[in-house]
Amino acid sequence: NIGVKTGGDTAPLGFSTSTLIHDESERERQEINEKIFKTFRPEFLNRIDEIIVFNRLSDDNLKDIANLMLYKTKKRIREGGVEIEFSDEVAKLIVKNGYDPKFGARPLKRSVTKLIEDPYTEQLLSGKIHPGDKIVAVCSNDKVEFLNGEEAEKQNGEKIKA
């Protein structure tokens, strides 16, 4: 993780073009290579076939990862007999609370656990949610609330996609 602290500190002002983004990526790649050659001895580097520099995750990438995690969570909850849907805002909240550029997408799983799995389990154990229920997870004050389908429609004024 030599390149974690490289780049990302400043963003270009105005409109970004693909050329600017490419130039920025190339600059970061060069900085990382310089750090690698300063950090490791040539004898070690000679044994490495290839060095891969990963691009930073975009907002769309993060939302896709959060949605994949929500899909897996949804499948596990369905196995317990509860139908659940997630509003689009839930994925955004997971990214907001769980993404750290230093660690990539790994903290998103902890965010899913903290924001969805733990509160869901507490409500299931307390009897507020029962097998056979159809619920919708929505955001409220930076937390996730579990509502039955009708309550969610009233609160949000729209149907949550299945």
Side-chain angles (χ1 to χ4, degrees):
N1 287 339
I2 288 176
V4 169
K5 293 183 182 177
T6 300
D9 297 334
T10 59
L13 296 175
F15 295 99
S16 295
T17 64
S18 60
T19 305
L20 283 175
I21 293 169
H22 175 73
D23 290 347
E24 182 71 17
S25 294
E26 194 57 39
R27 185 186 60 76
E28 284 183 12
R29 193 176 310 275
Q30 288 173 351
E31 287 180 27
I32 291 168
N33 280 332
E34 287 174 15
K35 284 185 177 184
I36 288 171
F37 285 102
K38 286 179 184 176
T39 304
F40 298 109
R41 298 179 54 88
E43 295 84 7
F44 174 73
L45 292 173
N46 192 36
R47 295 174 183 264
I48 297 175
D49 293 328
E50 187 174 357
I51 296 171
I52 300 172
V53 178
F54 292 96
N55 295 327
R56 296 189 187 279
L57 295 169
S58 71
D59 290 342
D60 288 339
N61 296 144
L62 293 167
K63 189 174 178 192
D64 289 345
I65 293 168
N67 281 324
L68 180 62
M69 291 178 173
L70 288 174
Y71 175 76
K72 290 179 180 181
T73 301
K74 180 182 194 174
K75 279 180 60 175
R76 283 196 314 276
I77 290 173
R78 278 186 176 165
E79 289 172 4
V82 177
E83 292 291 321
I84 186 168
E85 299 300 330
F86 297 99
S87 72
D88 289 337
E89 298 302 313
V90 173
K92 292 177 186 174
L93 183 64
I94 289 168
V95 171
K96 176 183 167 191
N97 290 342
Y99 177 65
D100 184 341
K102 291 181 183 175
F103 300 110
R106 285 189 183 101
L108 292 178
K109 176 61 180 141
R110 285 187 286 276
S111 185
V112 169
T113 300
K114 179 182 172 190
L115 293 170
I116 296 169
E117 293 173 355
D118 290 349
Y120 168 81
T121 303
E122 288 174 11
Q123 288 196 18
L124 187 67
L125 292 174
S126 71
K128 293 179 183 175
I129 297 174
H130 305 41
D133 285 352
K134 293 182 180 183
I135 60 174
V136 178
V138 297
C139 290
S140 177
N141 300 323
D142 283 342
K143 291 185 179 184
V144 176
E145 285 187 29
F146 301 100
L147 308 173
N148 71 35
E150 293 170 5
E151 288 176 333
E153 285 180 36
K154 287 177 189 173
Q155 180 173 330
N156 290 349
E158 62 183 61
K159 268 196 163 183
I160 305 298
K161 63 180 179 181

